[in-house]
């Protein structure tokens, strides 16, 4: 009897165990079944995510390329490809002004008249117009050192420096390069006010050291028999003062005879400094083939030349305009990729002034407000 019970118990346990096993195995299978779609689902999600990312990336780069193209088109039309936001800090390689990538840069712009005499044209609206409507990428701030109101004679030093600060700020806001010009003229020899120049350039280059768009012109036009040797000696003192604060800025050095004898600089350039250029100035109704040849020869001899001032009238800043010579100059300058800055942004009654003398406004100009020089220049600069 006991054995029969044992046997029954044994059979029941076996059945129970078999049942438990079956149930567990089934459950596992089910779990497995359930797990499979989950893994599949995850792979699918992962794949579609990758797809979206890929598409998105393509769309992103397509969008970027389209935006870049549109920007280039705008800049090309406006002649603004060579602006500080694109070219950054400039440098000099061989005879050429270049951008950060080593690409040739040509600055084309306008010089103020004497800051003390025509301060009203240092205003941001006007700088903006010059950039947008004229395609100007550089403004020169001309500060006379002698003459009446000159920095080293009876001028208001602080007022003049303030104008320069504002000029640099407006040019910076408008994405343009800017030249700080120590405009010697009746003082003939830059050594006459060498100590003042040293103080001025030390102060200015300290202030503008973090700008990538400021160029320093250390002596507008040595004249009255000032030799290249005397200019070099001056340059050798002023350049290190600027370099101590602003190690890479482009510095423009004037040449003898109202910045015309670039051949003398080519024969004996300033040594020991990078990013130095030499200025040549011309007035098209006075200076023609012969000065153009001097310039071409100096460049061919390896001198980096910068035309920081020119007019299309005669050398007095007045008199008749010579458009044929002016066009011949521009053709040569463009061929050599030389930068050029026109004299002058004022309404003074002289033919070099770009604004008609009867026009008093200081911005918001239209075609009929410009002098003959102004109209010629606007056409040249905007490459219309
Ligand atoms: C002229 C101005 C004129 C001003 C005179 C001052 O156009 O209004 O009265 O200077 O002496 C230069 C000089 C530049 C001259 C210009 C025209 O750099 O200052 O401006 N010029 O004479 N070099 C050659 C010509």
């Amino acid at each position: 009897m006991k054995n029969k019970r044992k046997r029954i118990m044994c059979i029941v346990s076996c059945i129970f165990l078999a049942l438990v096993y079956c149930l567990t195995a089934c459950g596992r299978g089910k779990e497995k079944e359930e797990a499979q779609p989950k893994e599949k689902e995850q792979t699918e999600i992962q794949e579609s995510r990758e797809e979206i990312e890929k598409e998105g990336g393509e769309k992103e780069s397509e969008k970027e390329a389209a935006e870049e193209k549109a920007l280039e088109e705008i800049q090309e039309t406006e002649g603004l490809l060579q602006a500080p936001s694109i070219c950054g800090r400039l440098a000099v390689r061989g005879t050429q002004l270049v951008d950060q990538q080593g690409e040739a840069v040509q600055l084309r712009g306008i010089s103020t008249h004497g800051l003390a005499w025509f301060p009203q044209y240092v205003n941001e609206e006007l700088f903006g117009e010059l950039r947008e409507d004229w395609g100007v990428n550089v403004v020169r701030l001309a500060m006379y050192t002698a003459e009446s109101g000159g920095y080293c004679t009876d001028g208001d030093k602080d007022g003049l420096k303030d104008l320069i600060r504002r000029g640099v700020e407006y040019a910076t806001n408008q994405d343009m390069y800017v030249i700080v010009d120590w405009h010697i003229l009746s003082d003939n020899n830059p050594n006459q006010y060498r100590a003042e120049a040293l103080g001025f350039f030390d102060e200015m280059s300290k202030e503008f050291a973090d700008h990538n768009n400021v160029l320093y012109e250390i002596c507008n036009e040595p004249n009255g028999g000032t030799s290249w040797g005397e200019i070099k000696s001056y340059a050798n003192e002023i350049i290190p003062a600027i370099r101590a604060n602003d190690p890479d800025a482009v510095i423009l050095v004037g040449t003898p005879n109202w910045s015309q004898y670039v051949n003398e600089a080519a024969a004996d350039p300033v040594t020991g400094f990078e990013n130095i250029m030499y200025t040549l100035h011309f007035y098209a109704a006075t200076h023609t083939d012969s000065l153009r040849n001097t310039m071409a020869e100096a460049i061919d001899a390896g001198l980096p030349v910068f035309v920081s001032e020119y007019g299309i009238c005669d050398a007095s800043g007045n008199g008749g305009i010579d458009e044929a010579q002016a066009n011949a100059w521009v053709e040569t300058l463009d061929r050599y990729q030389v930068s050029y800055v026109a004299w002058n942004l004022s309404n003074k009654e002289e033919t070099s002034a770009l604004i008609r003398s009867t026009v008093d406004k200081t911005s918001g100009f239209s075609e009929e407000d410009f002098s003959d020089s102004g109209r010629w220049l606007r056409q040249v600069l905007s490459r219309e």
Side-chain angles (χ1 to χ4, degrees):
M1 179 75 191
K2 250 187 185 172
N3 279 348
K4 199 182 171 188
R5 247 172 105 193
K6 247 187 193 171
R7 216 181 296 140
I8 290 166
M9 282 291 280
C10 190
I11 290 164
V12 170
S13 318
C14 281
I15 289 168
F16 177 74
L17 281 175
L19 212 77
V20 167
Y21 174 81
C22 264
L23 282 174
T24 327
C26 262
R28 274 210 202 103
K30 210 174 166 212
E31 260 173 37
K32 237 183 174 174
E33 257 170 42
E34 273 172 6
Q36 266 171 357
K38 248 190 212 157
E39 272 169 26
K40 210 173 144 212
E41 218 171 84
Q42 267 170 4
T43 331
E44 273 169 11
I45 290 169
Q46 181 61 25
E47 275 171 6
S48 58
R49 226 182 249 152
E50 279 169 8
E51 193 100 332
I52 289 165
E53 270 167 23
K54 202 171 140 222
E55 267 176 30
E58 271 165 16
K59 268 195 197 130
E60 204 50 46
S61 57
E62 266 170 35
K63 209 174 130 204
E64 273 170 20
E67 275 172 7
E68 219 165 87
K69 200 163 163 254
L71 185 70
E72 270 176 25
E73 271 166 17
I74 292 168
Q75 286 161 340
E76 259 163 28
T77 359
E78 294 174 359
L80 298 174
L81 258 180
Q82 300 186 322
S85 62
I86 293 159
C87 300
R89 202 175 255 284
L90 302 177
V92 181
R93 296 278 171 276
T95 61
Q96 187 60 57
L97 189 62
V98 295
D99 68 10
Q100 285 177 324
Q101 274 73 46
E103 299 286 333
V105 168
Q106 192 186 24
L107 300 185
R108 300 155 88 240
I110 296 180
S111 175
T112 66
H113 200 293
L115 289 178
W117 302 327
F118 294 96
Q120 65 271 36
Y121 297 104
V122 180
N123 73 74
E124 193 168 342
E125 292 77 9
L126 178 53
F127 283 19
E129 273 174 58
L130 295 180
R131 184 185 189 274
E132 300 300 323
D133 304 341
W134 296 56
V136 157
N137 61 0
V138 64
V139 168
R140 178 189 193 228
L141 304 171
M143 185 185 72
Y144 281 89
T145 48
E147 281 76 24
S148 78
Y151 186 84
C152 304
T153 49
D154 59 346
D156 167 10
K157 284 192 173 57
D158 289 336
L160 286 166
K161 279 186 289 199
D162 244 34
L163 262 177
I164 289 181
R165 289 184 190 107
R166 278 168 39 207
V168 169
E169 187 192 324
Y170 302 154
T172 306
N173 293 345
Q174 295 301 323
D175 201 13
M176 292 194 278
Y177 290 95
V178 55
I179 301 171
V180 176
D181 164 38
W182 184 255
H183 202 86
I184 69 159
L185 192 61
S186 63
D187 37 348
N188 306 345
N189 188 325
N191 292 298
Q192 187 175 336
Y193 294 119
R194 188 168 173 146
E196 288 85 345
L198 208 52
F200 171 81
F201 282 111
D202 175 51
E203 191 178 345
M204 293 294 109
S205 59
K206 249 185 211 129
E207 286 187 28
F208 303 137
D210 59 345
H211 283 63
N212 67 356
N213 62 332
V214 178
L215 294 83
Y216 301 95
E217 182 170 0
I218 61 174
C219 51
N220 168 49
E221 290 184 356
N223 62 83
T226 303
S227 70
W228 173 238
E230 288 170 298
I231 301 168
K232 241 184 119 171
S233 137
Y234 168 81
N236 277 325
E237 194 171 343
I238 306 298
I239 296 169
I242 298 173
R243 285 283 178 265
N245 303 320
D246 199 343
D248 303 312
V250 171
I251 297 176
L252 310 178
V253 182
T255 54
N257 198 46
W258 293 279
S259 288
Q260 288 168 35
Y261 291 172
V262 281
N263 52 314
E264 295 191 3
D268 179 24
V270 173
T271 53
F273 307 104
E274 304 274 307
N275 303 330
I276 306 294
M277 299 189 94
Y278 301 82
T279 64
L280 177 130
H281 291 177
F282 70 85
Y283 281 78
T286 305
H287 309 113
T288 60
D289 296 23
S290 148
L291 190 58
R292 268 200 298 282
N293 291 340
T294 305
M295 179 182 83
E297 280 165 23
I299 297 171
D300 292 341
L303 194 78
V305 171
F306 193 111
V307 173
S308 55
E309 185 187 301
Y310 74 95
I312 64 169
C313 56
D314 70 37
S316 70
N318 211 346
I321 280 168
D322 191 334
E323 280 206 22
Q325 281 298 328
N327 293 334
W329 271 105
V330 165
E331 190 273 320
T332 311
L333 296 167
D334 286 342
R335 187 151 38 85
Y336 279 93
Q337 290 273 288
V338 170
S339 299
Y340 49 96
V341 181
W343 183 259
N344 70 74
L345 189 53
S346 83
N347 67 345
K348 186 164 177 176
E349 200 162 1
E350 58 181 8
T351 50
S352 60
L354 301 172
I355 301 158
R356 288 162 63 139
S357 58
T358 48
V359 174
D360 285 332
K361 57 184 152 184
T362 56
S363 65
F365 293 107
S366 48
E367 197 66 14
E368 64 274 12
D369 298 326
F370 304 124
S371 66
D372 290 346
S373 283
R375 276 199 292 273
W376 173 87
L377 185 67
R378 189 169 177 274
Q379 199 190 1
V380 165
L381 293 179
S382 57
R383 300 200 196 265
E384 269 170 6

Coordinates of all heavy atoms in Angstrom, one line a residue, residues 253-279:
V253 N 55.4 103.9 -45.7 CA 56.5 104.9 -45.5 C 56.5 105.8 -46.8 O 56.5 105.3 -47.9 CB 57.9 104.2 -45.4 CG1 59.0 105.2 -45.2 CG2 57.9 103.2 -44.3
G254 N 56.5 107.1 -46.5 CA 56.6 108.1 -47.6 C 57.9 108.1 -48.3 O 58.9 107.6 -47.7
T255 N 58.0 108.6 -49.5 CA 59.3 108.7 -50.3 C 59.6 110.1 -50.7 O 58.7 111.0 -50.6 CB 59.1 107.7 -51.5 OG1 58.0 108.1 -52.3 CG2 59.0 106.3 -51.1
P256 N 60.8 110.4 -51.1 CA 61.2 111.8 -51.4 C 60.4 112.4 -52.5 O 59.7 111.7 -53.3 CB 62.7 111.7 -51.8 CG 63.2 110.4 -51.3 CD 62.0 109.5 -51.3
N257 N 60.4 113.8 -52.5 CA 59.8 114.5 -53.5 C 58.2 114.3 -53.6 O 57.7 113.9 -54.6 CB 60.4 114.3 -54.9 CG 60.1 115.3 -55.9 OD1 60.2 116.5 -55.6 ND2 59.7 114.9 -57.1
W258 N 57.6 114.6 -52.5 CA 56.1 114.4 -52.4 C 55.7 113.0 -52.7 O 54.7 112.7 -53.4 CB 55.4 115.4 -53.3 CG 55.5 116.8 -52.9 CD1 54.8 117.5 -51.9 CD2 56.4 117.8 -53.5 NE1 55.2 118.8 -51.9 CE2 56.2 119.0 -52.8 CE3 57.4 117.7 -54.5 CZ2 56.9 120.2 -53.1 CZ3 58.1 118.9 -54.8 CH2 57.8 120.1 -54.1
S259 N 56.5 112.0 -52.2 CA 56.2 110.6 -52.3 C 56.1 110.2 -53.8 O 55.1 109.6 -54.2 CB 54.9 110.2 -51.6 OG 55.2 110.2 -50.2
Q260 N 57.2 110.5 -54.5 CA 57.2 110.1 -55.9 C 58.5 109.3 -56.2 O 58.5 108.5 -57.1 CB 57.3 111.4 -56.8 CG 55.9 112.1 -56.9 CD 56.0 113.4 -57.6 OE1 56.8 113.6 -58.5 NE2 55.2 114.3 -57.1
Y261 N 59.6 109.5 -55.4 CA 60.8 108.8 -55.7 C 60.9 107.4 -55.1 O 61.7 107.1 -54.3 CB 62.0 109.6 -55.3 CG 62.3 110.9 -56.0 CD1 63.2 111.8 -55.6 CD2 61.5 111.2 -57.2 CE1 63.4 113.0 -56.3 CE2 61.8 112.4 -57.9 CZ 62.7 113.3 -57.4 OH 62.9 114.5 -58.1
V262 N 59.9 106.6 -55.6 CA 59.9 105.2 -55.0 C 61.2 104.4 -55.5 O 61.6 103.4 -54.9 CB 58.7 104.4 -55.4 CG1 57.5 104.8 -54.5 CG2 58.3 104.6 -56.9
N263 N 61.8 104.9 -56.6 CA 63.0 104.3 -57.1 C 64.1 104.3 -56.1 O 64.9 103.4 -55.9 CB 63.5 104.9 -58.4 CG 63.5 106.4 -58.3 OD1 62.6 107.1 -57.8 ND2 64.6 107.0 -58.8
E264 N 64.2 105.5 -55.3 CA 65.2 105.6 -54.3 C 65.0 104.6 -53.1 O 65.9 104.0 -52.6 CB 65.3 107.0 -53.7 CG 65.7 108.0 -54.8 CD 66.0 109.4 -54.3 OE1 66.0 109.6 -53.1 OE2 66.3 110.3 -55.1
A265 N 63.7 104.4 -52.8 CA 63.4 103.4 -51.8 C 63.7 102.0 -52.3 O 64.2 101.1 -51.5 CB 62.0 103.5 -51.3
A266 N 63.4 101.8 -53.6 CA 63.7 100.4 -54.1 C 65.2 100.1 -54.1 O 65.6 98.9 -53.9 CB 63.2 100.4 -55.6
A267 N 66.0 101.1 -54.3 CA 67.4 100.9 -54.3 C 68.0 100.6 -52.9 O 69.1 100.0 -52.8 CB 68.1 102.1 -54.9
D268 N 67.3 101.1 -51.9 CA 67.8 101.0 -50.5 C 66.7 100.9 -49.5 O 66.4 101.8 -48.7 CB 68.7 102.2 -50.3 CG 69.3 102.3 -48.9 OD1 69.4 101.2 -48.3 OD2 69.6 103.4 -48.4
P269 N 65.9 99.8 -49.6 CA 64.7 99.8 -48.7 C 65.0 99.7 -47.2 O 66.1 99.4 -46.8 CB 64.0 98.5 -49.2 CG 65.0 97.7 -50.0 CD 66.1 98.6 -50.4
V270 N 64.0 100.0 -46.4 CA 64.1 99.8 -45.0 C 64.3 98.3 -44.7 O 63.6 97.5 -45.3 CB 62.8 100.3 -44.3 CG1 62.9 100.1 -42.8 CG2 62.6 101.8 -44.6
T271 N 65.2 98.0 -43.8 CA 65.4 96.5 -43.6 C 65.1 96.2 -42.1 O 65.1 97.0 -41.2 CB 66.9 96.1 -43.8 OG1 67.7 97.0 -43.1 CG2 67.2 96.2 -45.3
G272 N 64.9 94.9 -41.9 CA 64.7 94.4 -40.5 C 63.2 94.4 -40.1 O 63.0 94.0 -38.9
F273 N 62.3 94.8 -40.9 CA 60.9 94.8 -40.5 C 60.0 94.1 -41.6 O 60.3 94.3 -42.8 CB 60.4 96.2 -40.3 CG 61.2 97.0 -39.3 CD1 62.0 98.0 -39.8 CD2 61.1 96.8 -38.0 CE1 62.8 98.7 -39.0 CE2 61.9 97.5 -37.1 CZ 62.7 98.5 -37.6
E274 N 59.0 93.4 -41.2 CA 58.1 92.8 -42.1 C 56.9 93.9 -42.3 O 56.8 94.8 -41.5 CB 57.4 91.6 -41.5 CG 58.3 90.5 -41.0 CD 58.7 89.6 -42.2 OE1 57.7 89.1 -42.8 OE2 59.9 89.4 -42.5
N275 N 56.1 93.6 -43.4 CA 54.9 94.4 -43.6 C 55.1 95.9 -43.8 O 54.3 96.7 -43.2 CB 53.9 94.0 -42.5 CG 53.6 92.6 -42.4 OD1 53.7 91.9 -43.4 ND2 53.3 92.1 -41.2
I276 N 56.1 96.2 -44.5 CA 56.3 97.6 -44.8 C 56.0 97.9 -46.3 O 56.4 97.1 -47.1 CB 57.8 98.0 -44.6 CG1 58.3 97.6 -43.2 CG2 58.1 99.5 -44.9 CD1 57.6 98.4 -42.1
M277 N 55.3 99.0 -46.6 CA 55.1 99.4 -48.0 C 55.5 100.8 -48.2 O 55.7 101.6 -47.2 CB 53.6 99.2 -48.4 CG 53.1 97.8 -48.2 SD 51.5 97.5 -48.9 CE 51.9 97.0 -50.6
Y278 N 55.7 101.2 -49.4 CA 56.3 102.5 -49.7 C 55.2 103.3 -50.5 O 54.6 102.7 -51.4 CB 57.6 102.4 -50.4 CG 58.6 101.6 -49.6 CD1 58.6 100.2 -49.6 CD2 59.5 102.3 -48.8 CE1 59.5 99.5 -48.8 CE2 60.4 101.5 -48.0 CZ 60.4 100.2 -48.0 OH 61.2 99.4 -47.2
T279 N 55.1 104.6 -50.2 CA 54.0 105.3 -50.9 C 54.4 106.0 -52.2 O 55.5 106.6 -52.2 CB 53.2 106.3 -50.0 OG1 54.2 107.3 -49.6 CG2 52.7 105.6 -48.8

